[in-house]
Amino acid sequence: MRLRGFTVTLQDREEKYVQPALGRARKLFEKKLKGPDVDAATARLKMDVAGAGAKGCASGHRGHLRGRERKQDLYKKLDAVMGPDEVLATNTSSIRLETLRTVLKQPTRLVGLHFFNPVAKMRWWK
């Protein structure tokens, strides 16, 4: 069994906020995978405090940022580096996507995405 093979970048203000997620992911990989697949999956998960991973990605997913202005500020930064065919996904929130996407050059690139918990139990792992 191996995870899908995507490289994923995790971005936050400082490394201290990303490092715990990397550790939790490694523990999950150790439960779900065997041998060299653990290291391979872990290697595809990258810390990206600077936000460089958004450039050239197939999709961007925004996590736990709260507040319309903060979300829109991030969307503007991502919009500046993402290619024209890339998608920006956001967790479902009480703020309407129609409101959030107004800062994007291509407003239709913003989509809502919601995972049911626990994500690790979902079928996409197989």
Side-chain angles (χ1 to χ4, degrees):
M1 173 179 172
R2 90 184 260 275
L3 299 180
R4 298 285 184 209
F6 294 105
T7 297
V8 175
T9 62
L10 300 175
Q11 181 186 4
D12 209 319
R13 297 175 309 236
E14 298 177 46
E15 286 185 21
K16 69 180 182 181
Y17 299 117
V18 179
Q19 197 60 49
L22 295 174
R24 287 190 304 273
R26 174 76 190 201
K27 287 179 182 177
L28 177 63
F29 298 154
E30 289 170 350
K31 290 180 184 177
K32 297 284 183 181
L33 306 172
K34 293 185 169 67
D37 288 341
V38 173
D39 289 333
T42 302
R44 289 191 307 272
L45 192 57
K46 312 245 184 243
M47 184 179 308
D48 182 27
V49 175
K55 186 173 185 175
C57 72
S59 68
H61 177 69
R62 193 245 7 119
H64 299 285
L65 196 59
R66 305 252 185 242
R68 181 182 57 81
E69 294 85 10
R70 290 181 68 199
K71 289 179 183 185
Q72 287 182 317
D73 286 345
L74 175 61
Y75 296 169
K76 285 184 222 175
K77 290 175 186 170
L78 292 172
D79 196 41
V81 296
M82 291 175 69
D85 297 326
E86 295 164 1
V87 175
L88 176 61
T90 184
N91 287 339
T92 54
S93 131
S94 61
I95 305 169
R96 297 179 55 87
L97 294 179
E98 292 82 2
T99 300
L100 294 173
R101 69 183 184 190
T102 60
V103 299
L104 300 175
K105 294 175 200 157
Q106 295 180 7
T108 56
R109 76 171 24 193
L110 181 65
V111 299
L113 181 67
H114 181 76
F115 290 106
F116 292 97
N117 290 327
V119 174
K121 300 264 184 208
M122 295 176 63
R123 304 271 324 165
W124 63 268
W125 284 96
K126 296 183 179 182

